[in-house]
Amino acid sequence: MKLPANASLKKWSIVKIPDVYRAVITLWLSFHLTDLSAQTEIPIGTWRVHISYNNITSIAVADTKVFGATENGIMMLDKSDNSITSFSRLDGLSGADISYINYDKTTGKVIIGYDDGNIDLITNNHIDNFNRLANSTSINASKRINHITTRAGYAYLSTDFGLVVFDLNALEVKETWRDLGSNGSELKITASTFKDDSVFLGTEKGIIAGNINTNLLDYNNWKRYDQGELAMNIQGLAILN
């Protein structure tokens, strides 16, 4: 170590600490600083969840709030004061593996869909769970919720086995459009959107469309756009102008 020109040896004297003592001191500090941090930050008998929000997979926009979803948590930004609130399993979420979220303006509910078919609903920071779809024994296929569209108090859940029409006021399934393939075969639904009286569904084999005033439980009542460039796995749909 080079000493400044005007420094004295007494002021800048250096003591070399043997490696063995240095290791002991480091170990002692590690234990005690960790213990101190645990005592001051997380009280005994309580849990704290640390969720990474670096990978937002789905967003829902309300009038004054924006909700962002990761696989295992929800982050809420209040646009009025830029405050952030998080929701995790400790706050009442039913699980991890969130697949999609959306907001329904009619009911003021945020709908959270999961890989296993579970549904959580956030209303004024209160969380309700609907697990009858996830626990259904009549569905042997994957129950993953791929997309959610809302319309007039209903949530339209695009799933791996079909489309579920969910009543957001009654908190119950109104009907399920299943086996919508060209021959009544099972068809994976990836997305949905509406234009006037028509509903369009993105599927793993193109797009199908139906009139909401007809019996959409019958696969024969769906028009199919599954040829040429549309003969593919559709990832998303949107209505423009």
Side-chain angles (χ1 to χ4, degrees):
M1 180 177 180
K2 186 176 181 180
L3 301 179
N6 60 348
S8 66
L9 288 177
K10 285 186 177 181
K11 184 176 180 181
W12 287 89
S13 59
I14 300 173
V15 177
K16 179 175 177 59
I17 302 175
D19 290 342
V20 62
Y21 294 139
R22 192 184 316 166
V24 171
I25 292 173
T26 301
L27 190 61
W28 184 90
L29 286 173
S30 297
F31 276 113
H32 284 74
L33 289 177
T34 301
D35 182 63
L36 178 61
S37 175
Q39 291 182 29
T40 56
E41 294 185 8
I42 306 176
I44 295 175
T46 62
W47 291 89
R48 176 177 296 172
V49 176
H50 296 275
I51 297 173
S52 172
Y53 292 102
N54 291 330
N55 185 26
I56 300 295
T57 59
S58 183
I59 293 176
V61 180
D63 292 334
T64 60
K65 296 179 176 64
V66 179
F67 298 83
T70 66
E71 286 188 350
N72 52 13
I74 300 289
M75 177 181 66
M76 180 185 74
L77 169 66
D78 191 324
K79 293 187 287 185
S80 64
D81 58 7
N82 288 328
S83 63
I84 293 178
T85 304
S86 62
F87 300 91
S88 68
R89 296 187 69 171
L90 292 182
D91 301 299
L93 294 183
S94 61
D97 298 323
I98 297 172
S99 55
Y100 203 88
I101 64 172
N102 206 345
Y103 172 76
D104 177 57
K105 189 173 182 178
T106 302
T107 60
K109 298 180 186 294
V110 176
I111 308 100
I112 305 168
Y114 291 84
D115 271 354
D116 62 359
N118 248 309
I119 302 169
D120 282 338
L121 302 162
I122 300 179
T123 311
N124 297 325
N125 294 352
H126 176 75
I127 301 175
D128 291 305
N129 173 251
F130 180 86
N131 59 14
R132 277 171 281 178
L133 180 62
N135 295 335
S136 174
T137 57
S138 64
I139 303 172
N140 296 321
S142 166
K143 301 171 185 176
R144 186 180 194 273
I145 297 174
N146 302 309
H147 182 266
I148 302 171
T149 297
T150 62
R151 175 184 165 101
Y154 289 91
Y156 292 79
L157 314 176
S158 300
T159 75
D160 280 357
F161 62 88
L163 188 133
V164 176
V165 183
F166 185 76
D167 189 328
L168 292 170
N169 288 304
L171 301 184
E172 63 183 18
V173 173
K174 180 183 178 183
E175 59 186 21
T176 302
W177 306 336
R178 296 182 63 179
D179 302 328
L180 299 180
S182 58
N183 297 313
S185 57
E186 185 175 283
L187 187 63
K188 176 182 177 179
I189 309 300
T190 58
S192 68
T193 192
F194 288 85
K195 188 180 189 307
D196 301 326
D197 290 337
S198 296
V199 56
F200 296 82
L201 304 183
T203 80
E204 59 185 336
K205 299 178 181 179
I207 297 172
I208 61 176
N211 189 299
I212 59 175
N213 298 314
T214 62
N215 177 21
L216 294 180
L217 297 173
D218 186 346
Y219 70 92
N220 291 302
N221 290 331
W222 290 86
K223 187 174 181 179
R224 303 181 187 279
Y225 302 89
D226 54 4
Q227 302 297 318
E229 293 182 353
L230 291 179
M232 64 177 68
N233 185 9
I234 302 300
Q235 298 297 310
L237 293 175
I239 294 295
L240 178 64
N241 296 331

